Amino acid sequence: MELQRLRADHASALLAFELENREYFAGSIPDRGDEYFAGFDARHAALLAEQETGTIQFHLLVDDAGQVIGRMNLIDVADGAADLGYRIAEKAAGRGVATAAVKELLALAAAEYGLESLRAATTVTNLASQTVLTRCGFVPSGEVVLSGKPGITYTLRLRDSGGERG
Ligand SMILES: CC(C)(COP(=O)(O)OP(=O)(O)OC[C@H]1O[C@@H](n2cnc3c(N)ncnc32)[C@H](O)[C@@H]1OP(=O)(O)O)[C@@H](O)C(=O)NCCC(=O)NCCS
């Protein structure tokens, strides 16, 4: 599998991924709504334009057959920090895919995008996501309400901003 920065030619594979997993995702995070699917092409173009400004960095996880099996997104990129979000296809779940992909994204976030810290949040009932975050080094930092449900915020320092790096 490969982590690829979102591109224009990803549109149809990404739409297929979102449609195929719509019900599955809605079990743990809010559904995107019919308007997301109806306006997919325009939204895809808008995301790519936004990505060009550097305020978001979206990535797809693509398997050897070229199918999208996950998304790994950085949003609100500013001042050396960003929010992390992700989703993995039902057929690829429970095999360590999210954990491996988040770790890869952390390396990219530091080396490619020059970030120093990341934020994340998940609901208290999303044990899979909590496991992914803590395994990747995120530390709980507070409480939050996510679409009306109690949640936990997390932070991760990507690199030491002090001067002791030789
Ligand atoms: C959360 C999500 C990304 C995890 O992806 P994944 O590839 O299955 O994650 P991993 O396999 O790397 O790790 C998940 C771990 O949580 C465990 N887990 C899964 N469901 C669990 C549950 N209900 N209770 C406890 N542990 C659970 C898995 O067994 C695994 O641990 P293990 O390696 O010891 O078996 C995926 O389930 C998903 O996309 N869910 C829907 C969208 C979502 O919730 N996104 C996150 C929003 S914050």
Side-chain angles (χ1 to χ4, degrees), residues 24 28 86-88 93-96 98-99 121-122 126-129 135:
Y24 170 65
S28 44
Y86 46 75
R87 49 182 66 196
I88 297 295
R95 301 204 306 252
T99 304
T122 189
N126 197 338
L127 299 177
S129 189
R135 275 193 188 151

Side-chain angles (χ1 to χ4, degrees), residues 142-160:
E143 294 172 6
V144 67
V145 176
L146 298 168
S147 303
K149 295 181 179 168
I152 308 163
T153 58
Y154 291 82
T155 54
L156 171 80
R157 284 211 65 78
L158 286 164
R159 55 183 181 187
D160 185 14

Side-chain angles (χ1 to χ4, degrees), residues 9-132:
D9 67 323
H10 282 136
S12 59
L14 176 56
L15 178 58
F17 163 84
E18 291 286 355
L19 281 170
E20 201 174 301
N21 293 285
R22 183 175 179 181
E23 248 182 82
Y24 170 65
F25 292 149
S28 44
I29 53 177
D31 180 55
R32 292 194 185 278
D34 291 340
E35 62 282 3
Y36 170 85
F37 295 94
F40 184 85
D41 288 342
R43 184 186 157 86
H44 193 67
L47 285 178
L48 290 170
E50 196 181 345
Q51 187 168 250
E52 283 310 299
T53 72
T55 57
I56 60 169
Q57 298 293 349
F58 277 18
H59 308 81
L60 301 187
L61 203 54
V62 181
D63 71 11
D64 293 345
Q67 287 201 323
V68 175
I69 56 165
R71 304 186 72 166
M72 290 282 141
N73 295 336
L74 297 174
I75 64 166
D76 289 340
V77 181
D79 304 322
D83 285 302
L84 168 68
Y86 46 75
R87 49 182 66 196
I88 297 295
E90 183 173 18
K91 66 183 178 197
R95 301 204 306 252
V97 170
T99 304
V102 168
K103 284 182 178 167
E104 197 176 331
L105 185 63
L106 299 185
L108 262 184
E112 203 64 32
Y113 308 131
L115 300 182
E116 293 175 354
S117 66
L118 291 182
R119 300 173 294 260
T122 189
T123 50
V124 295
T125 53
N126 197 338
L127 299 177
S129 189
Q130 291 169 38
T131 302
V132 171

